[in-house]
């Protein structure tokens, strides 16, 4: 639609004004500042849950080893600690979030498997997660939060 006012063509604008665009940018900024930290928390929870599942799997490996050898050591009642089938969590990723290992002090009758946070998880509030031969779980943080009891 064209109208003429004192010889000047005035056309109705079909675009957005700079103020409208800036309002949208501010709204997106506010939403992303709220959503991104929540997203990071969910990613950390997922990585922690994967490490817990890996610890449970390694605990089952140690129990099967005990059943077949008569003890938790390599030769049952003697020798060194057995080799774990995998040592990082997640197992199928090139970037590990946790390093899995047997804690020091393994005997023929006792063991403790631990998941130590590395990389992006190194500052995690739960710290090192553990599980021992009795099924007792441990962490460097709040047990209710870290192991979701």
């Amino acid at each position: 639609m064209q109208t003429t006012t004192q010889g000047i063509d005035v056309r109705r604008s079909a675009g957005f004004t700079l103020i409208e665009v800036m309002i949208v940018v501010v709204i997106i900024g506010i939403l992303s500042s709220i959503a991104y930290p929540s997203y990071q928390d969910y990613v950390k929870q997922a990585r922690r849950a994967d490490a817990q599942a890996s610890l449970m799997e390694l605990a089952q490996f140690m129990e099967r080893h005990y059943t077949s050898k008569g003890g938790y050591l390599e030769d049952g009642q003697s020798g060194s600690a057995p080799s774990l089938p995998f040592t990082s969590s997640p197992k199928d990723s090139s970037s590990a979030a946790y390093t899995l290992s047997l804690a020091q002090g393994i005997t023929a009758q006792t063991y403790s498997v631990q998941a130590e946070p590395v990389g992006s998880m190194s500052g995690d509030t739960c710290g090192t997660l553990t599980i021992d031969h009795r099924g007792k779980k441990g962490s460097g943080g709040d047990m209710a939060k870290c192991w979701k009891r």
Side-chain angles (χ1 to χ4, degrees):
M1 169 183 271
Q2 254 182 6
T3 59
T4 304
T5 307
Q6 299 175 358
I8 300 174
D9 283 349
V10 179
R11 293 191 174 125
R12 179 159 232 170
S13 175
F16 296 106
T17 65
L18 181 59
I19 297 295
E20 291 171 332
V21 171
M22 292 306 294
I23 290 172
V24 169
V25 168
V26 167
I27 290 171
I28 290 173
I30 291 170
L31 290 176
S32 63
S33 70
I34 294 169
Y36 189 67
S38 295
Y39 168 75
Q40 287 180 321
D41 287 342
Y42 284 116
V43 168
K44 283 186 177 188
Q45 287 177 7
R47 288 181 179 155
R48 193 178 307 122
D50 191 42
Q52 292 166 353
S54 295
L55 283 176
M56 297 298 286
E57 187 174 342
L58 290 176
Q60 290 301 311
F61 166 79
M62 291 300 291
E63 294 304 324
R64 286 191 305 274
H65 182 82
Y66 184 90
T67 302
S68 65
K69 303 284 185 170
Y72 294 118
L73 297 175
E74 184 64 38
D75 298 324
Q77 296 295 322
S78 63
S80 61
S83 297
L84 297 175
F86 55 93
T87 58
S88 67
S89 175
K91 294 187 286 186
D92 57 353
S93 176
S94 61
S95 60
Y98 286 87
T99 300
L100 306 170
S101 63
L102 286 167
Q104 297 295 324
I106 182 173
T107 68
Q109 303 302 315
T110 64
Y111 75 88
S112 180
V113 184
Q114 63 185 12
E116 183 178 349
V118 294
S120 63
M121 293 297 290
S122 61
D124 189 33
T125 58
C126 289
T128 301
L129 302 171
T130 61
I131 188 166
D132 66 12
H133 63 282
R134 298 169 294 183
K136 183 178 177 192
K137 300 169 185 173
S139 74
D142 180 18
M143 284 294 293
K145 177 186 173 215
C146 296
W147 275 94
K148 298 281 187 187
R149 289 185 182 211

